[in-house]
Amino acid sequence: MNIKKQTFFFEFSLILILISLFFLISNNFFVFYVGRHFDGCDMMWSPSSLFLKNINVFEIYFSNLKNQYIHCSNYPSYSISNIFFMMPFGAFELDIAKKLWLLFNLILIFHIYLIFKKLYFEKHTYYNYIFLIFLFSKPMIFTLSIGQYGVLAL
């Protein structure tokens, strides 16, 4: 099998793996592995959602209503730019926003794979296996499960 066919086959397989990973993470299949549910606690959804509803998130944060309006640890103590960056996700309900954030992260992971493959490992097949190990590693699944910004930082 030539290199182009082999690369196409692996990239197509990787897309199928990422699609299945989306469903496995969003349905809490990896709870036994990482010890956390798919809860989106680190995804800054609450400040963006409150901002879009014309509610001052800082007033809510410093009032007694904090636990009613703010999901998990989505406190506005992070950069204000996070509120604006997460606005497209804040427009949706929390469950839909978590799945969209997971999908966005998986698309970024696929692009990271393509960039590194093209720049550094174009003729090496061992990179594919290293990437799969990275993809199913406990830190990566944990990052995707709780909605961290780690993938975006890569």
Side-chain angles (χ1 to χ4, degrees):
M1 187 182 296
N2 65 17
I3 297 284
K4 290 197 182 242
K5 283 185 181 179
Q6 189 177 13
T7 302
F8 173 77
F9 176 73
F10 186 80
E11 288 174 2
F12 181 73
S13 301
L14 182 61
I15 290 172
L16 292 177
I17 289 170
L18 289 172
I19 290 170
S20 62
L21 194 61
F22 172 82
F23 289 107
L24 292 173
I25 291 174
S26 63
N27 291 319
N28 292 318
F29 182 74
F30 287 110
V31 171
F32 73 93
Y33 186 49
V34 295
R36 287 284 296 264
H37 290 279
F38 177 58
D39 54 10
C41 275
D42 284 354
M43 183 184 82
M44 296 302 294
W45 172 81
S46 294
S48 299
S49 177
L50 292 172
F51 183 81
L52 288 172
K53 294 174 185 172
N54 272 343
I55 299 173
N56 188 341
V57 66
F58 296 101
E59 288 178 3
I60 296 292
Y61 176 67
F62 290 113
S63 73
N64 292 333
L65 302 173
K66 174 172 50 175
N67 294 331
Q68 295 172 358
Y69 284 96
I70 297 179
H71 172 69
C72 286
S73 61
N74 289 177
Y75 304 126
S77 58
Y78 295 102
S79 171
I80 294 176
S81 62
N82 287 347
I83 295 173
F84 295 107
F85 176 74
M86 293 299 289
M87 265 195 212
F89 301 102
F92 295 97
E93 291 297 320
L94 179 61
D95 290 334
I96 296 170
K98 289 188 306 187
K99 290 181 180 181
L100 288 174
W101 180 248
L102 176 61
L103 181 66
F104 178 67
N105 278 307
L106 291 173
I107 290 170
L108 287 177
I109 288 171
F110 183 69
H111 283 285
I112 289 169
Y113 165 79
L114 293 177
I115 290 169
F116 273 84
K117 176 89 171 159
K118 186 166 183 77
L119 291 177
Y120 302 111
F121 303 102
E122 194 164 348
K123 295 180 181 168
H124 303 289
T125 57
Y126 66 87
Y127 173 69
N128 298 336
Y129 301 112
I130 292 172
F131 189 79
L132 284 176
I133 291 170
F134 163 73
L135 190 61
F136 285 99
S137 67
K138 191 171 185 175
M140 177 53 79
I141 299 294
F142 185 78
T143 297
L144 293 172
S145 294
I146 65 173
Q148 289 183 343
Y149 286 84
V151 175
L152 190 62
L154 283 176

